[in-house]
Each structure stands twice: as C-alpha cells, then as structure tokens.
Amino acid sequence: MTIFSKIIAGEIPSYKCAEDDKFYAFLDINPLAQGHTLVVPKHEVDYIFDLDDAELAAMTVFAKRVAKAIKQAFPCRKVGMAVLGLEVNHAHIHLIPLQSEGDMDFRKDKLKLPADVMADTAARILEAFEKDAL
Ligand code: AMP
C-alpha cells in the first residue's frame, strides 16, 4: 500500500482539497507555493501513463476542476501542472499556483507552512471546489 493510498484511506492525515469517487486531492506537504496540490487516483497505479485512457482522461478533467478552485482561492497568473513521480510510486499530478516560471522549479527550497496555514489553504480550495458548478 502506498503512502498516498494510506492518505486516501484516512490512515495518514492530509489537507484535503477535493474528492470524488475516483480521485482525491490534497496539499503537498512540502509546497513550492502556497496552494501546491496533488491529485491522485484512488485506484493505486505507480506510473501515470500506465492508467488506461479513460482513467487518465478523467483524472485530467478532475485536475482541471481542482486547478480552477486553486486559482479562485489563490489568485495567480496560471496554475501549472507537472508529473514527476520519482519519489512516491502512486500516480499523481502536481498543481502549482504560478506567478513566474521559477515557481515550477522542483530543485528550489520548499516552503514550510505552519499547520494552521496549511489547514486554511486546503479549506479555501475545498470551498471553491465544492462551489464550482462544473
Ligand atoms: P514526486 O513523486 O517526485 O512527484 O514527489 C512526491 C511529492 O509528494 C513531493 O512533492 C512530496 O512533498 C509529496 N509528499 C510526500 N509525502 C507526502 C504526504 N504525506 N503528504 C503530502 N505530500 C506528500
């Protein structure tokens, strides 16, 4: 069982940003920017491009909805999308609010936001996600 499956099962805490029956979104614990969110399929697959076409398409559409909620909660130029998967073997999409290209630099020092800021960040994204008419 991956760490992300344990998060989805509620065995490990996370800052939830969005959920439906197939996907779960939560804050990256070491964010590149406030609002940095991970989108994962509940179905455990290591490599994102091993998902079947329908599931990959559905995950992208779910990520789009989460990105809209992030942008609403944390105004930014655009929300960037990246897939690495070198650390956690459970497919996931990074969504990162961008003001500049450097905000997507995964080599830079990560932010350490206090728990109350993380909780408030997730609550704002979740609220925007749940209001979204899509
Ligand atoms: P990568 O697999 O290279 O895309 O990186 C995995 C990402 O997951 C990193 O950005 C980590 O900060 C993040 N991460 C790892 N464990 C957790 C966790 N328990 N909660 C939230 N984010 C995590």
Side-chain angles (χ1 to χ4, degrees):
M1 196 176 193
T2 67
I3 187 165
F4 290 170
S5 287
K6 288 181 183 165
I7 283 174
I8 293 160
E11 291 170 19
I12 290 177
S14 66
Y15 297 99
K16 174 177 157 177
C17 299
E19 184 171 18
D20 73 2
D21 56 333
K22 293 197 175 71
F23 305 102
Y24 187 76
F26 56 104
L27 293 183
D28 193 304
I29 205 74
N30 295 310
L32 284 165
Q34 188 178 11
H36 181 167
T37 299
L38 302 176
V39 171
V40 298
K42 291 185 175 176
H43 166 217
E44 191 177 300
V45 171
D46 173 5
Y47 183 43
I48 193 164
F49 297 123
D50 284 336
L51 290 169
D52 69 36
D53 291 357
E55 198 173 1
L56 179 60
M59 185 170 171
T60 308
V61 171
F62 182 82
K64 171 184 169 180
R65 295 178 60 205
V66 178
K68 285 178 75 172
I70 292 170
K71 196 164 190 301
Q72 217 172 307
F74 294 94
C76 51
R77 286 178 62 195
K78 291 186 175 173
V79 172
M81 176 167 143
V83 175
L84 288 81
L86 298 175
E87 197 184 303
V88 177
N89 294 327
H90 185 142
H92 52 281
I93 293 172
H94 293 258
L95 296 174
I96 302 162
L98 300 180
Q99 304 296 352
S100 70
E101 194 179 284
D103 294 332
M104 285 287 272
D105 182 355
F106 280 82
R107 290 166 301 188
K108 76 175 189 186
D109 288 343
K110 309 295 188 299
L111 300 178
K112 266 287 166 207
L113 301 175
D116 60 328
V117 175
M118 292 290 276
D120 180 64
T121 301
R124 284 166 64 180
I125 296 169
L126 182 61
E127 190 186 357
F129 179 83
E130 287 181 343
K131 274 196 198 141
D132 195 332
L134 260 182

